Structures are given as C-alpha cells and as structure tokens.
Amino acid sequence: MPLPYTLLITPLAADAPDDGSWFAETFTEVDSSEPALRVSELSTQRGDGVFETLAVVDGHAQEVQPHLARLARSAQICELPLPNLAQWSAAISAAVAQIPQQGELAIKLVLSRGVENGPSPTAWLHASAATDFSAVRESGVRVITLDRGYDRGVAERAPWLLLGAKTLSYAVNMAALREAHRRGADDTIFVTSDGYVMEGPTSSVILRHNGVFSTPAPSGAILHGTTQTSLFEYLERHGHSVSYRDISVEELRGADAVWLVSSVRLAVAVTELDGRQLPVDAPLTRLFTEYLLSPRD
Amino acid sequence: MPLPYTLLITPLAADAPDDGSWFAETFTEVDSSEPALRVSELSTQRGDGVFETLAVVDGHAQEVQPHLARLARSAQICELPLPNLAQWSAAISAAVAQIPQQGELAIKLVLSRGVENGPSPTAWLHASAATDFSAVRESGVRVITLDRGYDRGVAERAPWLLLGAKTLSYAVNMAALREAHRRGADDTIFVTSDGYVMEGPTSSVILRHNGVFSTPAPSGAILHGTTQTSLFEYLERHGHSVSYRDISVEELRGADAVWLVSSVRLAVAVTELDGRQLPVDAPLTRLFTEYLLSPRD
C-alpha cells in the first residue's frame, strides 16, 4: 500500500466490548488524495479535536500505549468522548500491516468533535513518510525563546485554556515556528511571561546541568512528552539522575547541553540559543538517536 | 437550493485581474453532506487558517466589506496568501443567489493554509440556517468572566500569539463556552490576567456607563468587531458618545448596561455577570436588534 495511507475510524465508546473481533469493521481505508471530511467538521471549523503523532521505525510503531494514554488525557481535558484505546491500538496495527516495513514513517491519530451538531466524533489515522531528519540529528538546531504570553500558574487557574491537551488548535505553534525561521533560527522554545521554560511548539525540552537531566515540571501548562519520558527511563537505566522542576530561562542558557525531543524528529541538540552558542554533547546525542530508533513499547 | 449550501473556492491571488468575468469558474458547488476536504488539510490538522461568519437577512448579506477586510487582516497576521476580495465578494453573491431569500442565515468563509506541503490555500463558503436567537435577543444572557491567561500588553509583545486574527484554532473559545454552561451561565467574557475586559469567545463587548458606550480599545489582543463597529456608527448617528478604552472588570460590573454583539446572534443584553444582576435596557436592545436586522453594507 503506497503512502500516505489513511484509515477512517468509526469511534467506539471507551467501554465497548473489547474482544476486538469486530474492530476491523470500524475501519475504512480511503484514498489520501480524495476528500474524506465534510466542511462542517469541527476539527476544521474550530480546531476542535485532539491528536497524536507517533513514529513507525522499520515496521514497529513506537510507544503506542503512552501515545494512546495521552490521546485519552487530551480527550478528557477537551470533554470529548473518551477513545476506545483497544480500537485505536487495533487501528495502528492494521495500518502498520499495510505500510512499508522499512524506514521511518509517521502516524497521526486524530479525534475530532465531529461534524457540527452531529451525533458523534470523527476519527482517523493518517500514515506518511517521515521527513528525513538525519542531518539535523547530527548538526542540531538553532533555537530562539519566545514568550507564550502565559505565566507559570495559568494552567491551574484557567483549565479552559486546555494547556495540557494536544489539541488541533495549533495555529500559534505554527506561527511561532515561522517567527523562528524569520529570525534565522530552526525552532523555538516557549517560555512563560515570568521567564520559565515550557516546551517547543512540537517538542519537549531536556537540559543537562551538573550531570543532572531536567525537564520542566508537569504542571498542566505543558504536554507530557512521550519521547521525553522514554528518554528519562533510558537515562535512569544507565545510572543518570533525572529531575522534573521549574527551569528558568537563565538556567537554560547556562546548561551543559539542551535537546528538543519529539516522536518523529527524535532528540536534536540545541546548538545555539537566542544567538549564543550552547555546548553540544554529540556522542550522547547519537546514543539518544540510536535508542530512540530501537523498537520501544 | 436547500441548506446547507457549500461552495469550494479556488483562491485567486490578491492581485489577479478583477474584471470578475471568470470568477464563477473558480467556484464549485458541493453537496454539504459529502466529504469535501482531505485529511491532510492544515485547517483540520493544525487549526491553521482564518474565517469569518456573516449574517444573511432576507437575502441581504450583511457588512460584506468589513468582514472581507477582517478576513484579509487575519490572513496577513497569519502570513497566509492575501485573499482576492473581489473573488470572495463574488462568491458571497453567488451563494446568496442560491439560498433562501427569507429569514436569517449564516455564511461562513474559510481560508485554510491548504493541504500539507500543498501548493496553495484551500477556501470555501458554507451557508446554513442561523440558529433561532429571537428568544435570547429578548431575554438576554447570563455571563461569567473567565481569565484568558494573557496580560493586557501581550499582543504587542508577542505577535506570534495571533491575537488579532480570527483563526480556526478555536478550541479554547469552545472550552470557555463549555465552562460557562457548566457554571449555569450562557456565555463568557474573557478578561486579561491583570483584570481588563477583552471579548467573548464569539462576540464583542459593549457597555454603557454614564451615557457613554464603550468597548475595549483595539490593541491587537482582541478582534475588531464588525457588529460592534456597525453599532457604534449607528449610536454616533443618533447623537450618542462612543469610546474605545481600557475597561477594567470592576467597570464592567458597575455598568448601566452590557451587551455581547456578534454577526448572527446580534446584540444580546447581559442580564447577569458573575452571578450578579446587571441593569438591562430592553427598549434600546430592541432598537439594536431592529437596526442590526436591517440591510447593512
């Protein structure tokens, strides 16, 4: 089956019988180049839905359960009907069986609120060839910090801002990337208005300082990174210390090493932050890449 | 032609020859109940596009030019190819000629960044029957204020937050409305984290205090309301004073009257704010409705 590959999914209730025998009946392959969504889709009208992007490496879908757990969490925050994770897992398996078994691919899962005034959510899976990130994994990225406009405590105070959910409303994330490119950088790290590190528009931030690996404390204001979590497990298994904490922009600037990590691009070293060079640990970055490309569940 | 009515539009460059003779060739009527968009649409994947909603009253599309001007402004902020306004105007006319000539309808215009890595934006027009707001225009709405998480100066400081653009990334707006309903209210007014009035998720705020009508100063952080602008012109023609200024939440609570205004619901009185009754000027609200239902260009 050529890429891209698209499967429309008729979402089952979270508590539907999960023997899985009839999941296949809820999947419909569609031609990716043909229209599949109505204009009254709330995903398209309101960015009203949630998503996940996961990597497929040599036929193995990476970190399926952590991605599905986050999809469910995003749905809960957005008050969408909770996804049936066994059904989604089956959809991923069905797709992986149809797509190339070599190389790096990306699978996007989308759960939309459905058509306006419609009876149920809309859901689909879209598999495509991953961008070739081999060069940037070697050479790293130049990054600028950008003010996200929110202070550190906003998520607890204002849950309707949906900060812990991976919603389809990503226009700001895309605008921040354009701003980075305009300033001659490759990517950006959002910081709070009171000067604390948050996340990249499509990645998590990990830094190393005095031998300890840190990432911003989960506070509801940032996504819980599946790749960051996986890397922390890897680091702990290898005897390193990891820490979740508040990280100021000054600490980020003074780090021994900084990485942006995400499911498909994996771990890329930040070589320059706001125009100033950062130390790079190229051997460790290569170990990260090697680990992240290995089959992970 | 029954509603809903959908017209796909092949967007022309802003500076395309505008004799208009060939605009019709760029419009394609599609069955609204059939799929019209690919899953790789950035409107649906990223909420990456801009929109307008305008009213059609008894066959007259209201305030077409102000809506198109705002569509262009939103596109500019989002760095989308600027829309050809003559083409969009022609599309609205073509649609209005096909849809019912009586009653209240809504037309939504959408300009999306297009399919991922695609050559051009995607655009469409979708006309549907308006919700029947006659009761709420009479009885008003109960409103709560909700923290938008941003301080008053954020738009100038962080244009990548796209605050002055009407983007498709409306998940937060929809979540704020759900929060209002959960608290027994009908709608919400966003306020800045430092206590200033912004706007509703789908409306502008007008208040009257000591005989002067005010709305928050355009600062880049809120949308410039087409209905608010139209009402201010009406008020000025009738000898009233209008003012754009910073409005604190305390001032809002102490107002003589407060309205939420928007293109399709029109002007509705706020009868209760954060659980406290507000004075209502029912006769003036009726005059507003009458004016807003009259043909306006």
Side-chain angles (χ1 to χ4, degrees), chain B residues 31 49 62 75 92 94 96 99 108 113 224 260 274:
Chain B
D31 181 338
Q62 302 282 55
I92 294 168
V96 167
I99 59 182
K108 181 174 263 199
R113 203 173 298 277
H224 295 229
L260 292 182
D274 292 328

Side-chain angles (χ1 to χ4, degrees), chain A:
Chain A
M1 186 72 56
L3 292 174
Y5 172 85
T6 303
L7 215 52
L8 294 185
I9 300 168
T10 305
L12 297 171
D15 59 355
D18 68 348
D19 71 356
S21 60
W22 50 295
F23 284 158
E25 297 167 29
T26 65
F27 307 146
T28 309
E29 275 181 32
V30 296
D31 181 337
S32 300
S33 66
E34 292 292 324
L37 306 172
R38 302 192 205 177
V39 297
S40 55
E41 251 296 319
L42 291 168
S43 55
T44 197
Q45 286 198 27
R46 301 295 197 185
D48 199 359
V50 297
F51 77 101
E52 284 294 320
T53 304
L54 51 91
V56 182
V57 180
D58 295 338
H60 186 275
Q62 303 280 52
E63 300 274 352
V64 170
Q65 294 313 318
H67 279 289
L68 291 179
R70 191 168 64 181
L71 186 74
R73 182 174 153 76
S74 294
Q76 183 182 30
I77 293 172
C78 293
E79 299 175 86
L80 288 160
L82 290 187
N84 183 307
L85 298 189
Q87 183 193 23
W88 279 96
S89 190
I92 294 167
S93 298
V96 167
Q98 295 294 326
I99 59 184
Q101 300 299 302
Q102 279 80 44
E104 295 181 46
L105 285 63
I107 283 183
K108 181 174 263 197
L109 314 175
V110 179
L111 176 62
S112 149
R113 203 173 299 277
V115 299
E116 196 158 27
N117 305 315
S120 60
T122 310
W124 65 92
L125 174 160
H126 184 66
S128 56
T131 303
D132 181 357
F133 289 120
S134 51
V136 81
R137 287 173 193 158
E138 276 295 313
S139 62
V141 285
R142 290 159 303 164
V143 169
I144 56 166
T145 55
L146 287 178
D147 184 354
R148 186 64 186 81
Y150 295 130
D151 63 83
R152 198 165 27 145
V154 74
E156 286 72 22
R157 198 171 75 231
W160 46 88
L161 300 178
L162 306 177
L163 286 172
K166 198 168 172 76
T167 78
L168 299 171
S169 286
Y170 254 42
V172 167
N173 303 49
M174 299 295 105
L177 289 175
R178 289 195 299 275
E179 179 70 17
H181 297 156
R182 184 180 300 116
R183 298 196 199 171
D186 306 301
D187 208 332
T188 179
I189 293 175
F190 282 131
V191 297
T192 64
S193 55
D194 44 351
Y196 285 85
V197 175
M198 295 177 76
E199 60 196 348
T202 63
S203 62
S204 310
V205 178
I206 295 177
L207 64 86
R208 188 182 61 195
H209 191 67
N210 292 335
V212 179
F213 294 83
S214 302
T215 197
S219 67
I222 59 172
L223 289 181
H224 295 227
T226 53
T227 309
Q228 171 266 311
T229 305
S230 179
L231 260 187
F232 269 28
E233 287 166 8
Y234 168 84
L235 286 164
E236 287 195 296
R237 278 203 301 279
H238 289 77
H240 295 286
S241 296
V242 302
S243 147
Y244 291 87
R245 62 188 179 87
D246 288 336
I247 297 168
S248 69
V249 177
E250 288 67 37
E251 285 179 276
L252 188 69
R253 294 198 174 121
D256 299 336
V258 178
W259 294 268
L260 293 182
V261 303
S262 50
S263 298
V264 179
R265 195 174 61 178
L266 307 181
V268 297
V270 178
T271 59
E272 198 182 297
L273 185 68
D274 292 329
R276 283 149 60 175
Q277 296 248 311
L278 278 183
V280 171
D281 188 336
L284 185 58
T285 305
R286 278 188 209 110
L287 284 178
F288 283 173
T289 301
E290 193 181 319
Y291 164 65
L292 292 171
L293 285 174
S294 69
R296 290 176 294 126
D297 287 310

Side-chain angles (χ1 to χ4, degrees), chain B residues 17-216:
Chain B
D18 67 347
D19 70 0
S21 59
W22 50 296
F23 284 157
E25 298 167 30
T26 65
F27 306 147
T28 309
E29 276 181 31
V30 296
D31 181 338
S32 301
S33 67
E34 293 292 325
L37 306 172
R38 302 193 206 177
V39 296
S40 54
E41 250 297 318
L42 291 169
S43 55
T44 197
Q45 287 198 27
R46 301 294 198 187
D48 198 359
V50 298
F51 77 102
E52 285 294 320
T53 305
L54 50 91
V56 181
V57 181
D58 295 338
H60 187 275
Q62 302 282 55
E63 300 274 351
V64 170
Q65 293 315 315
H67 279 288
L68 291 180
R70 192 168 63 180
L71 186 74
R73 183 174 151 76
S74 294
Q76 184 181 31
I77 292 171
C78 293
E79 299 175 88
L80 288 160
L82 291 186
N84 184 309
L85 299 189
Q87 182 193 24
W88 279 96
S89 190
I92 294 168
S93 299
V96 167
Q98 296 293 329
I99 59 182
Q101 300 298 300
Q102 279 80 42
E104 296 181 45
L105 285 63
I107 283 184
K108 181 174 263 199
L109 315 176
V110 179
L111 176 62
S112 149
R113 203 173 298 277
V115 297
E116 195 159 26
N117 305 315
S120 59
T122 309
W124 65 92
L125 174 159
H126 184 66
S128 56
T131 303
D132 181 358
F133 289 120
S134 51
V136 81
R137 287 172 192 157
E138 276 297 314
S139 62
V141 285
R142 290 159 302 162
V143 169
I144 58 167
T145 54
L146 287 178
D147 183 353
R148 185 63 185 82
Y150 295 131
D151 62 84
R152 197 164 31 141
V154 74
E156 286 71 21
R157 200 171 73 230
W160 47 88
L161 300 178
L162 306 177
L163 287 172
K166 199 169 171 74
T167 78
L168 300 171
S169 286
Y170 255 41
V172 168
N173 303 50
M174 300 297 104
L177 289 174
R178 288 195 301 273
E179 179 70 17
H181 298 154
R182 183 180 302 115
R183 298 197 200 171
D186 306 302
D187 208 333
T188 178
I189 293 175
F190 283 131
V191 298
T192 64
S193 53
D194 44 350
Y196 286 84
V197 176
M198 295 178 76
E199 60 194 348
T202 64
S203 62
S204 309
V205 178
I206 295 176
L207 65 86
R208 188 182 61 194
H209 190 69
N210 292 334
V212 179
F213 294 83
S214 303
T215 196

